[in-house]
Short mmCIF file of all heavy atoms in Angstrom, two decimals:
data_model
loop_
_atom_site.label_atom_id
_atom_site.label_comp_id
_atom_site.label_asym_id
_atom_site.label_seq_id
_atom_site.Cartn_x
_atom_site.Cartn_y
_atom_site.Cartn_z
N GLU L 66 -14.43 -20.98 -3.69
CA GLU L 66 -15.52 -20.90 -4.67
C GLU L 66 -16.56 -19.84 -4.28
O GLU L 66 -17.08 -19.14 -5.14
CB GLU L 66 -16.20 -22.26 -4.79
CG GLU L 66 -17.09 -22.40 -6.01
CD GLU L 66 -17.53 -23.83 -6.24
OE1 GLU L 66 -16.85 -24.76 -5.77
OE2 GLU L 66 -18.58 -24.01 -6.89
N ASP L 67 -16.82 -19.70 -2.99
CA ASP L 67 -17.78 -18.68 -2.54
C ASP L 67 -17.12 -17.31 -2.34
O ASP L 67 -17.79 -16.36 -1.95
CB ASP L 67 -18.49 -19.12 -1.26
CG ASP L 67 -17.53 -19.28 -0.08
OD1 ASP L 67 -16.34 -18.97 -0.24
OD2 ASP L 67 -17.98 -19.72 0.98
N ARG L 68 -15.83 -17.24 -2.59
CA ARG L 68 -15.03 -16.02 -2.50
C ARG L 68 -14.95 -15.44 -1.10
O ARG L 68 -14.51 -14.32 -0.92
CB ARG L 68 -15.54 -14.95 -3.47
CG ARG L 68 -15.56 -15.37 -4.89
CD ARG L 68 -15.32 -14.27 -5.90
NE ARG L 68 -15.95 -13.00 -5.57
CZ ARG L 68 -15.31 -11.83 -5.52
NH1 ARG L 68 -14.02 -11.78 -5.78
NH2 ARG L 68 -15.95 -10.72 -5.22
N LYS L 69 -15.32 -16.18 -0.09
CA LYS L 69 -15.29 -15.65 1.27
C LYS L 69 -13.94 -15.86 1.92
O LYS L 69 -13.72 -15.45 3.07
CB LYS L 69 -16.41 -16.27 2.10
CG LYS L 69 -17.79 -15.84 1.62
CD LYS L 69 -18.89 -16.34 2.52
CE LYS L 69 -20.24 -15.81 2.04
NZ LYS L 69 -21.35 -16.24 2.90
N SER L 70 -13.05 -16.50 1.25
CA SER L 70 -11.69 -16.65 1.77
C SER L 70 -10.73 -16.84 0.60
O SER L 70 -11.15 -17.19 -0.51
CB SER L 70 -11.60 -17.82 2.73
OG SER L 70 -11.83 -19.04 2.05
N SER L 71 -9.47 -16.61 0.89
CA SER L 71 -8.44 -16.83 -0.12
C SER L 71 -7.14 -17.20 0.58
O SER L 71 -7.01 -16.98 1.80
CB SER L 71 -8.25 -15.59 -1.01
OG SER L 71 -7.85 -14.48 -0.23
N THR L 72 -6.22 -17.73 -0.17
CA THR L 72 -4.93 -18.15 0.38
C THR L 72 -3.82 -17.73 -0.57
O THR L 72 -3.87 -18.01 -1.77
CB THR L 72 -4.87 -19.68 0.56
OG1 THR L 72 -5.94 -20.09 1.42
CG2 THR L 72 -3.54 -20.10 1.18
N LEU L 73 -2.86 -17.02 -0.01
CA LEU L 73 -1.66 -16.68 -0.77
C LEU L 73 -0.65 -17.80 -0.56
O LEU L 73 -0.39 -18.18 0.58
CB LEU L 73 -1.08 -15.36 -0.28
CG LEU L 73 0.21 -14.93 -0.97
CD1 LEU L 73 -0.06 -14.53 -2.42
CD2 LEU L 73 0.87 -13.77 -0.22
N ILE L 74 -0.11 -18.30 -1.64
CA ILE L 74 0.83 -19.41 -1.56
C ILE L 74 2.18 -18.97 -2.08
O ILE L 74 2.32 -18.55 -3.23
CB ILE L 74 0.31 -20.61 -2.38
CG1 ILE L 74 -1.08 -21.03 -1.87
CG2 ILE L 74 1.29 -21.79 -2.28
CD1 ILE L 74 -1.81 -21.97 -2.80
N LEU L 75 3.17 -19.06 -1.19
CA LEU L 75 4.55 -18.89 -1.60
C LEU L 75 5.12 -20.29 -1.74
O LEU L 75 5.16 -21.05 -0.77
CB LEU L 75 5.33 -18.09 -0.55
CG LEU L 75 4.76 -16.73 -0.15
CD1 LEU L 75 5.64 -16.08 0.92
CD2 LEU L 75 4.60 -15.83 -1.35
N HIS L 76 5.57 -20.63 -2.93
CA HIS L 76 5.89 -22.04 -3.18
C HIS L 76 7.15 -22.50 -2.48
O HIS L 76 7.23 -23.65 -2.04
CB HIS L 76 5.96 -22.27 -4.68
CG HIS L 76 4.64 -22.05 -5.36
ND1 HIS L 76 3.60 -22.96 -5.24
CD2 HIS L 76 4.16 -21.03 -6.09
CE1 HIS L 76 2.54 -22.49 -5.90
NE2 HIS L 76 2.86 -21.33 -6.42
N ARG L 77 8.13 -21.61 -2.37
CA ARG L 77 9.36 -21.94 -1.66
C ARG L 77 9.83 -20.68 -0.95
O ARG L 77 10.37 -19.78 -1.56
CB ARG L 77 10.45 -22.42 -2.61
CG ARG L 77 10.21 -23.80 -3.20
CD ARG L 77 11.39 -24.23 -4.06
NE ARG L 77 12.61 -24.34 -3.26
CZ ARG L 77 13.82 -24.42 -3.79
NH1 ARG L 77 13.99 -24.36 -5.09
NH2 ARG L 77 14.89 -24.54 -3.01
N ALA L 78 9.59 -20.63 0.34
CA ALA L 78 9.93 -19.43 1.09
C ALA L 78 11.43 -19.24 1.15
O ALA L 78 12.21 -20.19 1.33
CB ALA L 78 9.37 -19.53 2.51
N THR L 79 11.84 -17.97 1.00
CA THR L 79 13.24 -17.62 1.19
C THR L 79 13.31 -16.60 2.31
O THR L 79 12.28 -16.03 2.72
CB THR L 79 13.85 -17.01 -0.09
OG1 THR L 79 13.26 -15.71 -0.31
CG2 THR L 79 13.59 -17.89 -1.30
N LEU L 80 14.51 -16.34 2.78
CA LEU L 80 14.67 -15.37 3.87
C LEU L 80 14.16 -14.00 3.43
O LEU L 80 13.69 -13.22 4.27
CB LEU L 80 16.14 -15.30 4.29
CG LEU L 80 16.72 -16.59 4.87
CD1 LEU L 80 18.19 -16.40 5.21
CD2 LEU L 80 15.94 -17.05 6.10
N ARG L 81 14.25 -13.70 2.13
CA ARG L 81 13.80 -12.41 1.63
C ARG L 81 12.28 -12.28 1.61
O ARG L 81 11.75 -11.19 1.33
CB ARG L 81 14.37 -12.17 0.23
CG ARG L 81 15.86 -11.90 0.23
CD ARG L 81 16.40 -11.81 -1.17
NE ARG L 81 16.31 -13.08 -1.86
CZ ARG L 81 16.70 -13.30 -3.10
NH1 ARG L 81 17.18 -12.31 -3.82
NH2 ARG L 81 16.59 -14.48 -3.66
N ASP L 82 11.59 -13.37 1.86
CA ASP L 82 10.12 -13.31 1.91
C ASP L 82 9.60 -12.91 3.28
O ASP L 82 8.39 -12.75 3.47
CB ASP L 82 9.52 -14.67 1.53
CG ASP L 82 9.73 -15.01 0.07
OD1 ASP L 82 9.66 -14.08 -0.77
OD2 ASP L 82 9.98 -16.19 -0.23
N ALA L 83 10.48 -12.75 4.24
CA ALA L 83 10.06 -12.32 5.57
C ALA L 83 9.53 -10.89 5.48
O ALA L 83 10.25 -9.97 5.09
CB ALA L 83 11.23 -12.39 6.55
N ALA L 84 8.25 -10.73 5.80
CA ALA L 84 7.60 -9.44 5.61
C ALA L 84 6.22 -9.49 6.27
O ALA L 84 5.79 -10.54 6.76
CB ALA L 84 7.43 -9.14 4.12
N VAL L 85 5.55 -8.35 6.26
CA VAL L 85 4.14 -8.32 6.65
C VAL L 85 3.32 -8.43 5.37
O VAL L 85 3.53 -7.66 4.43
CB VAL L 85 3.78 -7.02 7.40
CG1 VAL L 85 2.28 -7.02 7.75
CG2 VAL L 85 4.62 -6.89 8.66
N TYR L 86 2.40 -9.39 5.35
CA TYR L 86 1.58 -9.64 4.16
C TYR L 86 0.16 -9.13 4.42
O TYR L 86 -0.46 -9.48 5.42
CB TYR L 86 1.56 -11.13 3.82
CG TYR L 86 2.86 -11.59 3.22
CD1 TYR L 86 3.98 -11.82 4.02
CD2 TYR L 86 2.98 -11.77 1.85
CE1 TYR L 86 5.18 -12.21 3.46
CE2 TYR L 86 4.19 -12.17 1.28
CZ TYR L 86 5.28 -12.39 2.09
OH TYR L 86 6.47 -12.77 1.53
N TYR L 87 -0.32 -8.33 3.51
CA TYR L 87 -1.64 -7.73 3.64
C TYR L 87 -2.59 -8.27 2.58
O TYR L 87 -2.25 -8.28 1.39
CB TYR L 87 -1.58 -6.21 3.48
CG TYR L 87 -0.80 -5.48 4.54
CD1 TYR L 87 0.52 -5.11 4.34
CD2 TYR L 87 -1.40 -5.14 5.75
CE1 TYR L 87 1.23 -4.42 5.31
CE2 TYR L 87 -0.70 -4.44 6.72
CZ TYR L 87 0.62 -4.09 6.49
OH TYR L 87 1.31 -3.41 7.46
N CYS L 88 -3.75 -8.68 3.01
CA CYS L 88 -4.83 -9.09 2.12
C CYS L 88 -5.81 -7.92 2.06
O CYS L 88 -6.28 -7.46 3.10
CB CYS L 88 -5.49 -10.34 2.69
SG CYS L 88 -7.03 -10.85 1.91
N ILE L 89 -6.09 -7.42 0.89
CA ILE L 89 -6.88 -6.20 0.74
C ILE L 89 -7.99 -6.41 -0.28
O ILE L 89 -7.74 -6.94 -1.37
CB ILE L 89 -5.98 -5.03 0.28
CG1 ILE L 89 -4.89 -4.75 1.31
CG2 ILE L 89 -6.81 -3.78 0.00
CD1 ILE L 89 -3.83 -3.79 0.83
N LEU L 90 -9.19 -5.99 0.07
CA LEU L 90 -10.30 -6.01 -0.88
C LEU L 90 -10.41 -4.63 -1.52
O LEU L 90 -10.32 -3.63 -0.83
CB LEU L 90 -11.61 -6.38 -0.20
CG LEU L 90 -11.67 -7.73 0.48
CD1 LEU L 90 -13.07 -7.97 1.02
CD2 LEU L 90 -11.27 -8.83 -0.47
N ARG L 91 -10.64 -4.62 -2.79
CA ARG L 91 -10.70 -3.34 -3.48
C ARG L 91 -11.72 -3.42 -4.61
O ARG L 91 -11.63 -4.26 -5.48
CB ARG L 91 -9.33 -2.99 -4.02
CG ARG L 91 -9.23 -1.59 -4.59
CD ARG L 91 -7.79 -1.20 -4.74
NE ARG L 91 -7.66 0.13 -5.31
CZ ARG L 91 -7.52 0.34 -6.62
NH1 ARG L 91 -7.50 -0.67 -7.45
NH2 ARG L 91 -7.39 1.58 -7.07
N ASP L 92 -12.65 -2.48 -4.58
CA ASP L 92 -13.68 -2.42 -5.61
C ASP L 92 -13.05 -1.97 -6.92
O ASP L 92 -11.95 -1.40 -6.95
CB ASP L 92 -14.79 -1.47 -5.18
CG ASP L 92 -16.05 -1.66 -6.00
OD1 ASP L 92 -16.11 -1.12 -7.12
OD2 ASP L 92 -16.95 -2.36 -5.51
N ARG L 93 -13.77 -2.17 -7.99
CA ARG L 93 -13.26 -1.78 -9.30
C ARG L 93 -13.25 -0.27 -9.49
O ARG L 93 -12.68 0.22 -10.44
CB ARG L 93 -14.14 -2.40 -10.39
CG ARG L 93 -14.09 -3.89 -10.46
CD ARG L 93 -15.10 -4.37 -11.45
NE ARG L 93 -15.06 -5.82 -11.62
CZ ARG L 93 -15.92 -6.51 -12.34
NH1 ARG L 93 -16.89 -5.88 -12.96
NH2 ARG L 93 -15.84 -7.82 -12.43
N ASN L 94 -13.93 0.46 -8.60
CA ASN L 94 -14.07 1.91 -8.81
C ASN L 94 -12.72 2.60 -8.88
O ASN L 94 -11.83 2.34 -8.09
CB ASN L 94 -14.89 2.53 -7.68
CG ASN L 94 -16.32 2.04 -7.69
OD1 ASN L 94 -16.86 1.76 -8.73
ND2 ASN L 94 -16.92 1.93 -6.52
N TYR L 95 -12.60 3.51 -9.78
CA TYR L 95 -11.38 4.28 -9.92
C TYR L 95 -11.13 5.12 -8.68
O TYR L 95 -12.04 5.68 -8.10
CB TYR L 95 -11.46 5.20 -11.14
CG TYR L 95 -11.10 4.49 -12.40
CD1 TYR L 95 -12.06 3.79 -13.10
CD2 TYR L 95 -9.81 4.49 -12.89
CE1 TYR L 95 -11.74 3.12 -14.27
CE2 TYR L 95 -9.48 3.82 -14.04
CZ TYR L 95 -10.44 3.14 -14.73
OH TYR L 95 -10.12 2.47 -15.88
N GLY L 96 -9.88 5.20 -8.29
CA GLY L 96 -9.47 6.06 -7.20
C GLY L 96 -9.71 5.50 -5.82
O GLY L 96 -9.28 6.09 -4.85
N GLN L 97 -10.39 4.37 -5.75
CA GLN L 97 -10.62 3.83 -4.42
C GLN L 97 -9.30 3.40 -3.79
O GLN L 97 -8.47 2.78 -4.45
CB GLN L 97 -11.58 2.65 -4.47
CG GLN L 97 -12.01 2.21 -3.08
CD GLN L 97 -12.72 0.88 -3.07
OE1 GLN L 97 -12.24 -0.05 -3.69
NE2 GLN L 97 -13.83 0.80 -2.38
N ASN L 98 -9.17 3.74 -2.53
CA ASN L 98 -7.87 3.48 -1.90
C ASN L 98 -7.71 2.03 -1.48
O ASN L 98 -8.66 1.25 -1.50
CB ASN L 98 -7.72 4.40 -0.69
CG ASN L 98 -8.64 3.99 0.45
OD1 ASN L 98 -8.28 3.18 1.28
ND2 ASN L 98 -9.83 4.56 0.51
N PHE L 99 -6.50 1.67 -1.12
CA PHE L 99 -6.17 0.36 -0.59
C PHE L 99 -6.19 0.48 0.95
O PHE L 99 -5.46 1.29 1.50
CB PHE L 99 -4.79 -0.08 -1.05
CG PHE L 99 -4.70 -0.28 -2.54
CD1 PHE L 99 -4.54 0.81 -3.39
CD2 PHE L 99 -4.76 -1.55 -3.09
CE1 PHE L 99 -4.46 0.64 -4.76
CE2 PHE L 99 -4.67 -1.73 -4.46
CZ PHE L 99 -4.52 -0.65 -5.30
N VAL L 100 -7.00 -0.34 1.59
CA VAL L 100 -7.11 -0.29 3.05
C VAL L 100 -6.22 -1.36 3.65
O VAL L 100 -6.49 -2.56 3.50
CB VAL L 100 -8.57 -0.49 3.51
CG1 VAL L 100 -8.65 -0.46 5.04
CG2 VAL L 100 -9.48 0.58 2.91
N PHE L 101 -5.16 -0.94 4.32
CA PHE L 101 -4.22 -1.87 4.94
C PHE L 101 -4.68 -2.16 6.36
O PHE L 101 -4.60 -1.31 7.24
CB PHE L 101 -2.81 -1.28 4.96
CG PHE L 101 -2.17 -1.21 3.61
CD1 PHE L 101 -2.39 -0.11 2.78
CD2 PHE L 101 -1.34 -2.22 3.16
CE1 PHE L 101 -1.80 -0.04 1.52
CE2 PHE L 101 -0.74 -2.16 1.91
CZ PHE L 101 -0.97 -1.06 1.09
#
Side-chain angles (χ1 to χ4, degrees):
Chain L
E66 195 169 337
D67 63 5
R68 301 211 322 127
K69 293 185 176 181
S70 65
S71 61
T72 302
L73 177 70
I74 302 167
L75 306 179
H76 296 286
R77 289 184 63 195
T79 69
L80 297 178
R81 289 174 294 180
D82 291 323
V85 178
Y86 286 78
Y87 295 97
C88 170
I89 298 170
L90 300 184
R91 188 164 179 266
D92 197 279
R93 294 174 178 174
N94 294 328
Y95 277 86
Q97 189 192 46
N98 71 88
F99 295 80
V100 179
F101 289 86

